Amino acid sequence: MLNETIITNAIIDRYFEKLRNATDLDVAIIGGGPSGLVAGYYISKAGKKAALFEKKLSIGGGLWGGGMMFNEIVLQDSILPIIEEFELKVQEYKKGYYVANSIDVVATLIKKAISAGLNIFNLINVEDLIFKKNRVAGIVINWSPVNMANLHIDPLSFYSKYVIDATGHAAEIVTILSRKMGVKLNTETGQIIGEKSMDATQGETQTVENTKEVYPGLFVSGMAANAVLGGYRMGPIFGGMFLSGKKVAEQILEKLKQVNCGIEIIKNHRR
């Protein structure tokens, strides 16, 4: 006979174990779209402590709907190595163009990221940032339903060495930083430039080019990168998103490596 209390305790104990483990991170990824999931996969695969926070119930961002609710997406041949690593099922449509079932892609990305060690929290809204010594030092979270109901309930704070804004077109995290702290960003204007209209070629290229640290401790990836740095929109072709996620992971892993090397140098010097 099943015991309802045991079922409840199992859920509570396991969830709070995960949540407690995420209060001090190497990387906090905000947004569960393709760039966030790919970044989480590579960072976790490298053995770093990462967690992804998504405000919606489902993970996957705009991937689910494909193009105008036709649940197919296009990937280009520049990401064939990533397609192979993630074992994505694709079909060549024309030379250089591959189509994939968007639902299968989302499911595969989520599975691969979790298997690599990424903790994913859905229904979590990041409403603010921890800001110390002119640097982003973590995130301030609350339940998404609290935000939706406009309830006045204080949030909780999680430290993170680096934060990735992977929130898509809205660039929600950089917007919070810019609005509340009035800082100068690493953009041409020092502010959020805004996303341009659609040009698939430029949009795909700029999604990768614009992936960078826009303020100490805060990186942008995917469409958030183009929104912040003024890149073009690209539509339902997702190669740039995947490459952006991999690039931001590589950038942060290099930063973490430098920090760890610095700590080792200090330790050795003290000896």
Side-chain angles (χ1 to χ4, degrees):
M1 180 179 291
L2 293 173
N3 184 302
E4 288 80 4
T5 301
I6 292 174
I7 294 168
T8 298
N9 286 338
I11 291 170
I12 292 172
D13 289 346
R14 180 68 183 110
Y15 186 85
F16 278 99
E17 179 187 346
K18 291 190 298 184
L19 196 63
R20 193 179 295 111
N21 191 48
T23 58
D24 196 350
L25 296 163
D26 290 316
V27 187
I29 304 163
I30 319 305
S35 74
L37 285 168
V38 171
Y41 166 81
Y42 283 109
I43 292 166
S44 300
K45 185 182 176 185
K48 302 304 178 183
K49 194 175 179 182
L52 184 150
F53 300 85
E54 168 59 53
K55 68 179 181 179
K56 295 181 180 179
L57 176 61
S58 63
I59 308 298
L63 269 172
W64 289 107
M68 211 181 76
M69 296 193 295
F70 299 170
N71 59 359
E72 297 287 333
I73 62 169
V74 175
L75 300 165
Q76 60 270 50
D77 55 8
S78 60
I79 70 155
L80 283 175
I82 295 179
I83 289 173
E84 292 173 3
E85 181 166 1
F86 280 83
E87 299 177 293
L88 297 175
K89 298 174 184 176
V90 301
Q91 290 183 331
E92 188 170 21
Y93 178 70
K94 287 189 176 182
K95 186 173 176 58
Y97 296 83
Y98 297 84
V99 289
N101 182 302
S102 64
I103 296 171
D104 182 64
V105 170
V106 175
T108 302
L109 291 183
I110 294 170
K111 176 63 176 176
K112 289 286 187 179
I114 291 174
S115 296
L118 180 67
N119 260 332
I120 297 178
F121 298 94
N122 58 339
L123 291 171
I124 296 288
N125 183 61
V126 176
E127 64 176 52
D128 206 347
L129 294 164
I130 300 174
F131 193 84
K132 292 183 179 292
K133 298 180 180 180
N134 293 316
R135 189 183 190 282
V136 172
I139 59 175
V140 180
I141 70 167
N142 215 324
W143 301 111
S144 294
V146 168
N147 177 259
M148 293 166 65
N150 198 29
L151 298 176
H152 183 70
I153 296 177
D154 282 331
L156 295 175
S157 303
F158 289 8
Y159 280 121
S160 184
K161 294 182 180 73
Y162 295 99
V163 174
I164 301 174
D165 185 340
T167 61
H169 302 275
E172 295 172 12
I173 308 307
V174 180
T175 298
I176 290 171
L177 178 66
S178 181
R179 173 174 55 84
K180 298 194 80 168
M181 300 305 300
V183 298
K184 184 176 181 180
L185 301 171
N186 182 22
T187 67
E188 288 183 5
T189 65
Q191 299 177 334
I192 297 172
I193 297 174
E195 177 188 309
K196 291 185 172 70
S197 293
M198 187 178 292
D199 182 322
T201 300
Q202 293 198 68
E204 281 293 277
T205 301
Q206 291 172 348
T207 302
V208 183
E209 291 176 348
N210 291 334
T211 299
K212 63 170 69 176
E213 189 174 24
V214 293
Y215 193 79
L218 179 59
F219 285 76
V220 289
S221 70
M223 277 312 303
N226 277 358
V228 172
L229 285 106
Y232 283 83
R233 185 176 189 174
M234 80 290 288
I237 180 166
F238 284 84
M241 298 287 207
F242 285 63
L243 292 171
S244 174
K246 185 177 182 182
K247 180 179 178 181
V248 75
E250 291 170 344
Q251 291 174 335
I252 291 176
L253 289 172
E254 182 59 34
K255 290 262 188 182
L256 290 170
K257 181 180 177 182
Q258 291 171 6
V259 169
N260 290 336
C261 285
I263 291 172
E264 287 302 317
I265 289 170
I266 290 170
K267 286 181 178 178
N268 292 333
H269 179 70
R270 286 176 178 170
R271 290 173 188 159

